[in-house]
PDB file of all heavy atoms in Angstrom:
ATOM      1  N   ALA A 644     -53.160  35.212 -40.116  1.00 98.00           N
ATOM      2  CA  ALA A 644     -54.417  34.477 -40.211  1.00 98.00           C
ATOM      3  C   ALA A 644     -55.242  34.955 -41.397  1.00 98.00           C
ATOM      4  O   ALA A 644     -55.847  34.142 -42.114  1.00 98.00           O
ATOM      5  CB  ALA A 644     -55.203  34.629 -38.923  1.00 98.00           C
ATOM      6  N   ALA A 645     -55.288  36.257 -41.606  1.00 97.00           N
ATOM      7  CA  ALA A 645     -56.047  36.793 -42.736  1.00 97.00           C
ATOM      8  C   ALA A 645     -55.446  36.322 -44.058  1.00 97.00           C
ATOM      9  O   ALA A 645     -56.172  35.976 -45.001  1.00 97.00           O
ATOM     10  CB  ALA A 645     -56.066  38.315 -42.667  1.00 97.00           C
ATOM     11  N   GLU A 646     -54.126  36.279 -44.116  1.00 98.00           N
ATOM     12  CA  GLU A 646     -53.447  35.853 -45.343  1.00 98.00           C
ATOM     13  C   GLU A 646     -53.721  34.390 -45.668  1.00 98.00           C
ATOM     14  O   GLU A 646     -53.846  34.018 -46.843  1.00 98.00           O
ATOM     15  CB  GLU A 646     -51.939  36.079 -45.202  1.00 98.00           C
ATOM     16  CG  GLU A 646     -51.143  35.666 -46.435  1.00 98.00           C
ATOM     17  CD  GLU A 646     -49.652  35.902 -46.265  1.00 98.00           C
ATOM     18  OE1 GLU A 646     -49.248  36.473 -45.220  1.00 98.00           O
ATOM     19  OE2 GLU A 646     -48.894  35.495 -47.177  1.00 98.00           O
ATOM     20  N   HIS A 647     -53.871  33.571 -44.623  1.00 98.00           N
ATOM     21  CA  HIS A 647     -54.004  32.129 -44.832  1.00 98.00           C
ATOM     22  C   HIS A 647     -55.410  31.599 -44.539  1.00 98.00           C
ATOM     23  O   HIS A 647     -55.623  30.387 -44.494  1.00 98.00           O
ATOM     24  CB  HIS A 647     -52.979  31.387 -43.979  1.00 98.00           C
ATOM     25  CG  HIS A 647     -51.561  31.673 -44.368  1.00 98.00           C
ATOM     26  ND1 HIS A 647     -50.968  31.108 -45.466  1.00 98.00           N
ATOM     27  CD2 HIS A 647     -50.632  32.507 -43.819  1.00 98.00           C
ATOM     28  CE1 HIS A 647     -49.726  31.547 -45.583  1.00 98.00           C
ATOM     29  NE2 HIS A 647     -49.497  32.400 -44.594  1.00 98.00           N
ATOM     30  N   GLY A 648     -56.366  32.496 -44.350  1.00 98.00           N
ATOM     31  CA  GLY A 648     -57.755  32.081 -44.226  1.00 98.00           C
ATOM     32  C   GLY A 648     -58.119  31.417 -42.918  1.00 98.00           C
ATOM     33  O   GLY A 648     -59.022  30.561 -42.885  1.00 98.00           O
ATOM     34  N   VAL A 649     -57.456  31.786 -41.834  1.00 98.00           N
ATOM     35  CA  VAL A 649     -57.782  31.235 -40.518  1.00 98.00           C
ATOM     36  C   VAL A 649     -58.598  32.275 -39.739  1.00 98.00           C
ATOM     37  O   VAL A 649     -58.110  33.374 -39.482  1.00 98.00           O
ATOM     38  CB  VAL A 649     -56.516  30.874 -39.721  1.00 98.00           C
ATOM     39  CG1 VAL A 649     -56.889  30.404 -38.312  1.00 98.00           C
ATOM     40  CG2 VAL A 649     -55.721  29.799 -40.450  1.00 98.00           C
ATOM     41  N   PRO A 650     -59.827  31.987 -39.362  1.00 98.00           N
ATOM     42  CA  PRO A 650     -60.641  32.951 -38.621  1.00 98.00           C
ATOM     43  C   PRO A 650     -60.061  33.210 -37.231  1.00 98.00           C
ATOM     44  O   PRO A 650     -59.589  32.280 -36.568  1.00 98.00           O
ATOM     45  CB  PRO A 650     -62.010  32.267 -38.519  1.00 98.00           C
ATOM     46  CG  PRO A 650     -61.995  31.193 -39.569  1.00 98.00           C
ATOM     47  CD  PRO A 650     -60.577  30.748 -39.661  1.00 98.00           C
ATOM     48  N   THR A 651     -60.078  34.471 -36.810  1.00 98.00           N
ATOM     49  CA  THR A 651     -59.560  34.807 -35.488  1.00 98.00           C
ATOM     50  C   THR A 651     -60.469  35.791 -34.764  1.00 98.00           C
ATOM     51  O   THR A 651     -61.189  36.571 -35.377  1.00 98.00           O
ATOM     52  CB  THR A 651     -58.158  35.448 -35.559  1.00 98.00           C
ATOM     53  OG1 THR A 651     -58.254  36.745 -36.166  1.00 98.00           O
ATOM     54  CG2 THR A 651     -57.192  34.581 -36.338  1.00 98.00           C
ATOM     55  N   ILE A 652     -60.396  35.729 -33.440  1.00 98.00           N
ATOM     56  CA  ILE A 652     -61.009  36.720 -32.560  1.00 98.00           C
ATOM     57  C   ILE A 652     -59.888  37.249 -31.676  1.00 98.00           C
ATOM     58  O   ILE A 652     -59.274  36.488 -30.916  1.00 98.00           O
ATOM     59  CB  ILE A 652     -62.116  36.104 -31.686  1.00 98.00           C
ATOM     60  CG1 ILE A 652     -63.220  35.492 -32.552  1.00 98.00           C
ATOM     61  CG2 ILE A 652     -62.700  37.159 -30.746  1.00 98.00           C
ATOM     62  CD1 ILE A 652     -64.234  34.674 -31.763  1.00 98.00           C
ATOM     63  N   THR A 653     -59.585  38.534 -31.791  1.00 98.00           N
ATOM     64  CA  THR A 653     -58.517  39.141 -31.017  1.00 98.00           C
ATOM     65  C   THR A 653     -58.978  40.509 -30.529  1.00 98.00           C
ATOM     66  O   THR A 653     -60.137  40.889 -30.701  1.00 98.00           O
ATOM     67  CB  THR A 653     -57.237  39.309 -31.859  1.00 98.00           C
ATOM     68  OG1 THR A 653     -57.508  40.208 -32.951  1.00 98.00           O
ATOM     69  CG2 THR A 653     -56.757  37.974 -32.419  1.00 98.00           C
ATOM     70  N   ASN A 654     -58.049  41.246 -29.947  1.00 98.00           N
ATOM     71  CA  ASN A 654     -58.338  42.623 -29.557  1.00 98.00           C
ATOM     72  C   ASN A 654     -57.111  43.482 -29.814  1.00 98.00           C
ATOM     73  O   ASN A 654     -56.013  42.961 -30.054  1.00 98.00           O
ATOM     74  CB  ASN A 654     -58.746  42.718 -28.082  1.00 98.00           C
ATOM     75  CG  ASN A 654     -57.626  42.348 -27.140  1.00 98.00           C
ATOM     76  OD1 ASN A 654     -57.274  41.173 -27.028  1.00 98.00           O
ATOM     77  ND2 ASN A 654     -57.044  43.335 -26.470  1.00 98.00           N
ATOM     78  N   VAL A 655     -57.274  44.775 -29.788  1.00 97.00           N
ATOM     79  CA  VAL A 655     -56.154  45.692 -29.948  1.00 97.00           C
ATOM     80  C   VAL A 655     -55.821  46.316 -28.598  1.00 97.00           C
ATOM     81  O   VAL A 655     -56.634  46.309 -27.676  1.00 97.00           O
ATOM     82  CB  VAL A 655     -56.475  46.795 -30.974  1.00 97.00           C
ATOM     83  CG1 VAL A 655     -56.683  46.192 -32.354  1.00 97.00           C
ATOM     84  CG2 VAL A 655     -57.702  47.597 -30.555  1.00 97.00           C
ATOM     85  N   GLY A 656     -54.606  46.849 -28.490  1.00 96.00           N
ATOM     86  CA  GLY A 656     -54.177  47.487 -27.262  1.00 96.00           C
ATOM     87  C   GLY A 656     -53.454  46.537 -26.327  1.00 96.00           C
ATOM     88  O   GLY A 656     -53.194  45.379 -26.655  1.00 96.00           O
ATOM     89  N   ARG A 657     -53.114  47.041 -25.135  1.00 95.00           N
ATOM     90  CA  ARG A 657     -52.338  46.262 -24.169  1.00 95.00           C
ATOM     91  C   ARG A 657     -53.200  45.305 -23.352  1.00 95.00           C
ATOM     92  O   ARG A 657     -52.694  44.367 -22.749  1.00 95.00           O
ATOM     93  CB  ARG A 657     -51.604  47.203 -23.200  1.00 95.00           C
ATOM     94  CG  ARG A 657     -50.544  48.066 -23.844  1.00 95.00           C
ATOM     95  CD  ARG A 657     -49.755  48.828 -22.799  1.00 95.00           C
ATOM     96  NE  ARG A 657     -50.601  49.771 -22.071  1.00 95.00           N
ATOM     97  CZ  ARG A 657     -50.747  51.047 -22.412  1.00 95.00           C
ATOM     98  NH1 ARG A 657     -50.130  51.523 -23.481  1.00 95.00           N
ATOM     99  NH2 ARG A 657     -51.520  51.862 -21.693  1.00 95.00           N
ATOM    100  N   ARG A 658     -54.488  45.566 -23.293  1.00 96.00           N
ATOM    101  CA  ARG A 658     -55.346  44.799 -22.391  1.00 96.00           C
ATOM    102  C   ARG A 658     -55.686  43.424 -22.961  1.00 96.00           C
ATOM    103  O   ARG A 658     -55.483  43.152 -24.136  1.00 96.00           O
ATOM    104  CB  ARG A 658     -56.615  45.594 -22.108  1.00 96.00           C
ATOM    105  CG  ARG A 658     -56.325  46.919 -21.452  1.00 96.00           C
ATOM    106  CD  ARG A 658     -57.504  47.842 -21.498  1.00 96.00           C
ATOM    107  NE  ARG A 658     -58.631  47.315 -20.730  1.00 96.00           N
ATOM    108  CZ  ARG A 658     -59.815  47.901 -20.691  1.00 96.00           C
ATOM    109  NH1 ARG A 658     -60.037  48.992 -21.408  1.00 96.00           N
ATOM    110  NH2 ARG A 658     -60.785  47.385 -19.966  1.00 96.00           N
ATOM    111  N   GLY A 659     -56.224  42.571 -22.086  1.00 97.00           N
ATOM    112  CA  GLY A 659     -56.571  41.211 -22.492  1.00 97.00           C
ATOM    113  C   GLY A 659     -56.528  40.310 -21.272  1.00 97.00           C
ATOM    114  O   GLY A 659     -56.951  40.698 -20.197  1.00 97.00           O
ATOM    115  N   GLY A 660     -56.028  39.102 -21.449  1.00 97.00           N
ATOM    116  CA  GLY A 660     -55.848  38.224 -20.315  1.00 97.00           C
ATOM    117  C   GLY A 660     -56.594  36.913 -20.381  1.00 97.00           C
ATOM    118  O   GLY A 660     -57.422  36.678 -21.279  1.00 97.00           O
ATOM    119  N   SER A 661     -56.302  36.063 -19.401  1.00 97.00           N
ATOM    120  CA  SER A 661     -56.832  34.701 -19.372  1.00 97.00           C
ATOM    121  C   SER A 661     -58.346  34.667 -19.220  1.00 97.00           C
ATOM    122  O   SER A 661     -59.030  33.865 -19.872  1.00 97.00           O
ATOM    123  CB  SER A 661     -56.181  33.922 -18.227  1.00 97.00           C
ATOM    124  OG  SER A 661     -54.786  33.848 -18.398  1.00 97.00           O
ATOM    125  N   GLY A 662     -58.881  35.518 -18.324  1.00 97.00           N
ATOM    126  CA  GLY A 662     -60.326  35.524 -18.111  1.00 97.00           C
ATOM    127  C   GLY A 662     -61.085  35.918 -19.357  1.00 97.00           C
ATOM    128  O   GLY A 662     -62.135  35.345 -19.672  1.00 97.00           O
ATOM    129  N   LEU A 663     -60.548  36.900 -20.082  1.00 98.00           N
ATOM    130  CA  LEU A 663     -61.186  37.325 -21.323  1.00 98.00           C
ATOM    131  C   LEU A 663     -61.157  36.214 -22.362  1.00 98.00           C
ATOM    132  O   LEU A 663     -62.170  35.921 -23.005  1.00 98.00           O
ATOM    133  CB  LEU A 663     -60.484  38.576 -21.866  1.00 98.00           C
ATOM    134  CG  LEU A 663     -60.976  39.105 -23.201  1.00 98.00           C
ATOM    135  CD1 LEU A 663     -62.438  39.506 -23.142  1.00 98.00           C
ATOM    136  CD2 LEU A 663     -60.105  40.284 -23.647  1.00 98.00           C
ATOM    137  N   ALA A 664     -60.003  35.586 -22.536  1.00 98.00           N
ATOM    138  CA  ALA A 664     -59.889  34.500 -23.524  1.00 98.00           C
ATOM    139  C   ALA A 664     -60.839  33.358 -23.205  1.00 98.00           C
ATOM    140  O   ALA A 664     -61.505  32.810 -24.095  1.00 98.00           O
ATOM    141  CB  ALA A 664     -58.451  33.992 -23.576  1.00 98.00           C
ATOM    142  N   ALA A 665     -60.921  32.985 -21.924  1.00 98.00           N
ATOM    143  CA  ALA A 665     -61.829  31.911 -21.522  1.00 98.00           C
ATOM    144  C   ALA A 665     -63.275  32.315 -21.764  1.00 98.00           C
ATOM    145  O   ALA A 665     -64.089  31.523 -22.254  1.00 98.00           O
ATOM    146  CB  ALA A 665     -61.605  31.549 -20.057  1.00 98.00           C
ATOM    147  N   GLY A 666     -63.616  33.559 -21.429  1.00 97.00           N
ATOM    148  CA  GLY A 666     -64.989  34.027 -21.627  1.00 97.00           C
ATOM    149  C   GLY A 666     -65.402  34.011 -23.083  1.00 97.00           C
ATOM    150  O   GLY A 666     -66.525  33.593 -23.423  1.00 97.00           O
ATOM    151  N   LEU A 667     -64.521  34.459 -23.967  1.00 98.00           N
ATOM    152  CA  LEU A 667     -64.846  34.471 -25.394  1.00 98.00           C
ATOM    153  C   LEU A 667     -64.974  33.046 -25.940  1.00 98.00           C
ATOM    154  O   LEU A 667     -65.852  32.770 -26.768  1.00 98.00           O
ATOM    155  CB  LEU A 667     -63.773  35.236 -26.167  1.00 98.00           C
ATOM    156  CG  LEU A 667     -63.581  36.706 -25.782  1.00 98.00           C
ATOM    157  CD1 LEU A 667     -62.563  37.366 -26.701  1.00 98.00           C
ATOM    158  CD2 LEU A 667     -64.894  37.475 -25.796  1.00 98.00           C
ATOM    159  N   THR A 668     -64.111  32.159 -25.469  1.00 98.00           N
ATOM    160  CA  THR A 668     -64.212  30.755 -25.882  1.00 98.00           C
ATOM    161  C   THR A 668     -65.510  30.136 -25.374  1.00 98.00           C
ATOM    162  O   THR A 668     -66.193  29.391 -26.103  1.00 98.00           O
ATOM    163  CB  THR A 668     -63.010  29.958 -25.359  1.00 98.00           C
ATOM    164  OG1 THR A 668     -61.799  30.585 -25.801  1.00 98.00           O
ATOM    165  CG2 THR A 668     -63.047  28.523 -25.874  1.00 98.00           C
ATOM    166  N   ASN A 669     -65.877  30.465 -24.150  1.00 97.00           N
ATOM    167  CA  ASN A 669     -67.138  29.948 -23.608  1.00 97.00           C
ATOM    168  C   ASN A 669     -68.340  30.450 -24.401  1.00 97.00           C
ATOM    169  O   ASN A 669     -69.362  29.753 -24.499  1.00 97.00           O
ATOM    170  CB  ASN A 669     -67.277  30.344 -22.141  1.00 97.00           C
ATOM    171  CG  ASN A 669     -66.330  29.570 -21.242  1.00 97.00           C
ATOM    172  OD1 ASN A 669     -65.787  28.543 -21.629  1.00 97.00           O
ATOM    173  ND2 ASN A 669     -66.121  30.074 -20.040  1.00 97.00           N
ATOM    174  N   GLU A 670     -68.228  31.635 -24.968  1.00 97.00           N
ATOM    175  CA  GLU A 670     -69.338  32.125 -25.791  1.00 97.00           C
ATOM    176  C   GLU A 670     -69.476  31.300 -27.066  1.00 97.00           C
ATOM    177  O   GLU A 670     -70.582  31.106 -27.571  1.00 97.00           O
ATOM    178  CB  GLU A 670     -69.150  33.604 -26.127  1.00 97.00           C
ATOM    179  CG  GLU A 670     -70.343  34.237 -26.828  1.00 97.00           C
ATOM    180  CD  GLU A 670     -71.636  34.162 -26.012  1.00 97.00           C
ATOM    181  OE1 GLU A 670     -71.574  34.075 -24.757  1.00 97.00           O
ATOM    182  OE2 GLU A 670     -72.719  34.191 -26.633  1.00 97.00           O
TER     183      GLU A 670
END
């Protein structure tokens, strides 16, 4: 994404999940 100019929101590490992705999108 950085190479091709696409903005992203991600995280590092093993954690994450559906609830987190939905919450960030809702923000």
Side-chain angles (χ1 to χ4, degrees):
E646 180 180 355
H647 296 283
V649 176
T651 68
I652 301 171
T653 63
N654 66 288
V655 296
R657 295 187 296 267
R658 300 165 64 185
S661 299
L663 177 61
L667 300 184
T668 305
N669 288 343
E670 187 59 25

